[in-house]
Amino acid sequence: MNAAVALTHEAADQAAGQAPLLEVRDFSLRRGKAVVLDGVSLALQPGETLGLIGESGAGKSTLAMALIGLLRAPEVQLEGSLRFRGSELTSLKEAEFRRLRGNKIGLIFQDATAALNPCFTVGEQIAEPLKRHLGLSKWDRRERAAALMQSVGIPEPRLRLDAYPHELSGGMQQRVMIAIALACNPELLLADEPTSALDVTIQAQIMELILDRVRDLNSSAIFVLHDLALGAQVCDRIAVMYAGQIVEEGPSERVLAAPLHPYTRGLKSCVVELGSRTLVPIPGQVPPLDAMPAGCRFAPRCPKAQAVCGERRPLPETRDGRQVACWFID
Ligand SMILES: Nc1ncnc2c1ncn2[C@@H]1O[C@H](COP(=O)(O)OP(=O)(O)OP(=O)(O)O)[C@@H](O)[C@H]1O
Ligand SMILES: [Mg+2]
């Protein structure tokens, strides 16, 4: 390589070093006429964790699925941009996505029982990405699979390598899925409600485990969660989603301590006053996808709504170190 080319690569590396690991810009996803995600923008720096918070149906899983290429045209229509390490994801071919998925981007789903294959041993399933992405030999794969099982707190991993998923408890299955997700040291981990299918007594343990592993690997992570307080506790940043739009995004302490969007305030008061995550936080319901209001999607439920809210969509504005989409932030 000549000096000029080497220099160009160095400049590119430096530029990439400053760029966000993940940048979602004005991203929309439609299913036919239904706009499931509408103008979503967010950025994640290397090593940062983001909590994606919102009620059921907000589009959290849809965004996660689009980020790993599991929702693509022609099944859905995409607009805007999803950039990972500077590369545009929306134009990647399926074969290219397969090289990222389980390798540079790891995934943890809510329900391990559904995500694990009942026909293969857990050892084989942990070894699969090690073969596919890292090309490790059979012996090395088995050794590394055992080490990964150990690292996620599975006792006697060598004995359990040959177990089938149904032979393990729900908590152990979730640990196996975490081991699979982290097998190739991903730069980005997507964890979609990683503990909500588990017994409440082990939820905190599993969350702590994922956070420890993410910190050890210096990876970035997006945690899809329902609970604003939990999100603010475990993540650097919070993005609050409502009906396919991000209504507030910023550093966790600020969003939790002094939420600016009426919807975030509603979520917060629900946590504080009711201490429950299962109750609907604010009177009313998320509008159906085929009858979204033209303006702010939260307007029909918003205590602050005025005429303009129903007519025009508020675009995100920078306020107090965060992005807020509301006509009446003050
Ligand atoms: N396969 C599908 N076909 C049609 N609509 C779908 C499909 N999957 C999701 N949707 C719709 O897309 C919207 C967003 O759903 P999504 O699953 O992303 O929400 P979510 O925020 O993850 O909710 P939850 O907290 O319940 O997991 C919802 O209105 C949902 O009904
Ligand atoms: Mg979901």
Side-chain angles (χ1 to χ4, degrees), residues 199-213:
D199 205 352
V200 89
T201 52
I202 58 166
Q203 284 185 351
Q205 257 179 35
I206 296 281
M207 199 68 193
E208 201 55 48
L209 168 70
I210 300 173
L211 285 165
D212 282 348
R213 301 296 299 124

Side-chain angles (χ1 to χ4, degrees), residues 31 36 54-63 110 192-193 226 289:
R31 290 179 182 277
V36 182
E55 268 168 282
S56 193
K60 307 178 296 292
S61 299
T62 302
L63 179 59
Q110 176 177 352
D192 192 348
E193 303 196 42
H226 277 112
L289 283 175

Side-chain angles (χ1 to χ4, degrees), residues 20-25 81-89:
L21 180 73
L22 178 75
E23 193 172 21
V24 177
R25 199 177 284 176
S81 158
L82 301 174
R83 290 180 87 78
F84 176 66
R85 302 159 93 219
S87 303
E88 181 56 50
L89 295 180

Side-chain angles (χ1 to χ4, degrees), residues 124-143:
E124 287 167 326
Q125 295 187 61
I126 298 173
E128 202 277 335
L130 301 172
K131 181 181 180 188
R132 178 201 292 248
H133 300 298
L134 306 183
L136 296 189
S137 70
K138 196 167 178 188
W139 193 84
D140 285 344
R141 293 201 295 270
R142 205 169 157 84
E143 286 301 300

